[in-house]
Amino acid sequence: MSQTTSINSTRSIFITGAAAGIGRAIAERFAKAGWFIGAYDVDEAGVMALRAQLGAHRCHAGRLDVSNPDDWARQLEAFFKAADGRLDVLVNNAGVAVTSYFEEAELIRHHRLIDINLKGVVNGCHLALPYLRRTPQSRVVNLCSASALYGQPMLSTYSATKAAVRSFTEALDIEWQRFDIRVVDVLPLFVNTAMVANDVSKMKTVQTLGVRLSADDIAASIWRLAQGAPGSLPVHTPVGMQTKLFYLLSKLSPDWMNRLVTARMAGH
Ligand SMILES: NC(=O)c1ccc[n+]([C@@H]2O[C@H](COP(=O)([O-])OP(=O)(O)OC[C@H]3O[C@@H](n4cnc5c(N)ncnc54)[C@H](O)[C@@H]3O)[C@@H](O)[C@H]2O)c1
């Protein structure tokens, strides 16, 4: 694929898991600023409804299971055409949680979670690279989580995938410097979405800390990461005061202290 510079001036963003929650809030935030939106999800009806809401000429949408490389290839190609030859920001947002003691969830659910939360991000970065390279100062934003700071009981495999995404982000951000592409992540604590309402809210840690972030808060952080000069972007952005505090403490305190605090918050 050639390295031609795009001439179209409308910036574009490709978002996975865009039918609901944080993904949907990101789509709405960027659409409000006039960006061209790519909205993808396994919930096809959900992203088609979003497309109708945003306006068909300003949004390309469709079914994409992030664990399936063929879905990625097909939708990236269609998006790039619809966006008139540019991909400014890829947001690897789609994710699922399994909230239980590790052994109580069937192994197949842990495998599926890894396929979505980790392999989905790897798939997206691998297949989007040719398109990102054709757009000057493009960037990737990965949805990480405060659970990447220290493994969370009742979210063991989920935390493991987010820690892996965090380290993948760090490595790729260095590798892709040679392509002028920044790779960064956001780390929120609990956000008021269906993921927390349906599943995660049964954790004692949620009752201890509360749910203080909205999907719009995360969308606002990602908006700032899309606007900033490439050299000014932090690799990791903890979202909200509470998360910033935990981020700082996890760096300053010894592992035994992080373990103790995590266990106490989880009621252990
Ligand atoms: N909600 C939180 O507290 C929280 C905190 C930190 C990080 N996150 C991360 O933010 C991201 C979005 O979470 P959310 O809270 O908006 O969740 P959500 O459950 O509200 O929405 C997730 C969306 O992803 C879609 N999805 C699920 N599997 C998919 C797949 N295989 N391919 C494509 N789409 C798929 C769902 O259909 C849904 O529309 C996730 O990566 C999550 O881990 C969430």
Side-chain angles (χ1 to χ4, degrees), residues 43 56 72 81 194 245 247 251:
D43 175 2
W72 272 103
K81 270 194 202 119
L245 188 66
Y247 186 70
K251 286 190 176 303

mmCIF file of all heavy atoms in Angstrom, residues 43 56 72 81 194 245 247 251:
data_model
loop_
_atom_site.group_PDB
_atom_site.id
_atom_site.type_symbol
_atom_site.label_atom_id
_atom_site.label_comp_id
_atom_site.label_asym_id
_atom_site.label_seq_id
_atom_site.Cartn_x
_atom_site.Cartn_y
_atom_site.Cartn_z
ATOM 1 N N ASP A 43 -23.159 -5.977 18.022
ATOM 2 C CA ASP A 43 -24.556 -5.544 18.045
ATOM 3 C C ASP A 43 -24.783 -4.648 16.808
ATOM 4 O O ASP A 43 -24.663 -3.429 16.873
ATOM 5 C CB ASP A 43 -24.825 -4.772 19.351
ATOM 6 C CG ASP A 43 -26.226 -4.178 19.400
ATOM 7 O OD1 ASP A 43 -27.012 -4.388 18.448
ATOM 8 O OD2 ASP A 43 -26.520 -3.490 20.407
ATOM 9 N N ALA A 56 -26.305 9.375 8.082
ATOM 10 C CA ALA A 56 -25.633 8.338 7.290
ATOM 11 C C ALA A 56 -24.415 8.871 6.552
ATOM 12 O O ALA A 56 -23.440 8.141 6.339
ATOM 13 C CB ALA A 56 -26.633 7.732 6.309
ATOM 14 N N TRP A 72 -12.377 -7.474 10.693
ATOM 15 C CA TRP A 72 -11.548 -6.265 10.734
ATOM 16 C C TRP A 72 -11.160 -5.829 9.314
ATOM 17 O O TRP A 72 -11.293 -4.662 8.947
ATOM 18 C CB TRP A 72 -10.261 -6.529 11.535
ATOM 19 C CG TRP A 72 -10.365 -6.305 13.006
ATOM 20 C CD1 TRP A 72 -10.470 -7.259 13.971
ATOM 21 C CD2 TRP A 72 -10.339 -5.051 13.701
ATOM 22 N NE1 TRP A 72 -10.510 -6.677 15.217
ATOM 23 C CE2 TRP A 72 -10.428 -5.329 15.076
ATOM 24 C CE3 TRP A 72 -10.242 -3.713 13.294
ATOM 25 C CZ2 TRP A 72 -10.427 -4.326 16.052
ATOM 26 C CZ3 TRP A 72 -10.244 -2.713 14.258
ATOM 27 C CH2 TRP A 72 -10.341 -3.022 15.608
ATOM 28 N N LYS A 81 -12.620 3.755 2.610
ATOM 29 C CA LYS A 81 -13.247 4.312 1.396
ATOM 30 C C LYS A 81 -14.265 5.372 1.776
ATOM 31 O O LYS A 81 -14.273 6.471 1.238
ATOM 32 C CB LYS A 81 -13.957 3.200 0.615
ATOM 33 C CG LYS A 81 -13.078 2.536 -0.403
ATOM 34 C CD LYS A 81 -13.908 1.703 -1.382
ATOM 35 C CE LYS A 81 -13.016 0.651 -2.015
ATOM 36 N NZ LYS A 81 -13.420 -0.706 -1.759
ATOM 37 N N ALA A 194 -23.395 -0.384 31.035
ATOM 38 C CA ALA A 194 -24.039 -1.695 31.227
ATOM 39 C C ALA A 194 -23.054 -2.716 31.795
ATOM 40 O O ALA A 194 -23.446 -3.607 32.553
ATOM 41 C CB ALA A 194 -24.598 -2.184 29.892
ATOM 42 N N LEU A 245 -5.236 9.002 41.675
ATOM 43 C CA LEU A 245 -4.673 8.720 42.993
ATOM 44 C C LEU A 245 -4.167 7.277 43.075
ATOM 45 O O LEU A 245 -3.039 7.019 43.507
ATOM 46 C CB LEU A 245 -5.752 8.972 44.054
ATOM 47 C CG LEU A 245 -5.292 8.916 45.494
ATOM 48 C CD1 LEU A 245 -4.333 10.060 45.796
ATOM 49 C CD2 LEU A 245 -6.501 8.992 46.440
ATOM 50 N N TYR A 247 -3.328 5.397 40.620
ATOM 51 C CA TYR A 247 -2.224 5.275 39.665
ATOM 52 C C TYR A 247 -0.909 5.691 40.346
ATOM 53 O O TYR A 247 0.095 4.998 40.285
ATOM 54 C CB TYR A 247 -2.518 6.166 38.456
ATOM 55 C CG TYR A 247 -1.538 6.046 37.319
ATOM 56 C CD1 TYR A 247 -1.483 4.896 36.534
ATOM 57 C CD2 TYR A 247 -0.680 7.092 36.999
ATOM 58 C CE1 TYR A 247 -0.594 4.782 35.485
ATOM 59 C CE2 TYR A 247 0.216 6.992 35.949
ATOM 60 C CZ TYR A 247 0.251 5.835 35.190
ATOM 61 O OH TYR A 247 1.132 5.725 34.155
ATOM 62 N N LYS A 251 2.381 3.285 41.988
ATOM 63 C CA LYS A 251 3.792 3.463 41.602
ATOM 64 C C LYS A 251 4.677 3.672 42.830
ATOM 65 O O LYS A 251 5.831 3.247 42.839
ATOM 66 C CB LYS A 251 3.927 4.682 40.692
ATOM 67 C CG LYS A 251 3.415 4.432 39.289
ATOM 68 C CD LYS A 251 3.793 5.577 38.373
ATOM 69 C CE LYS A 251 3.380 5.308 36.961
ATOM 70 N NZ LYS A 251 3.924 4.064 36.406
#
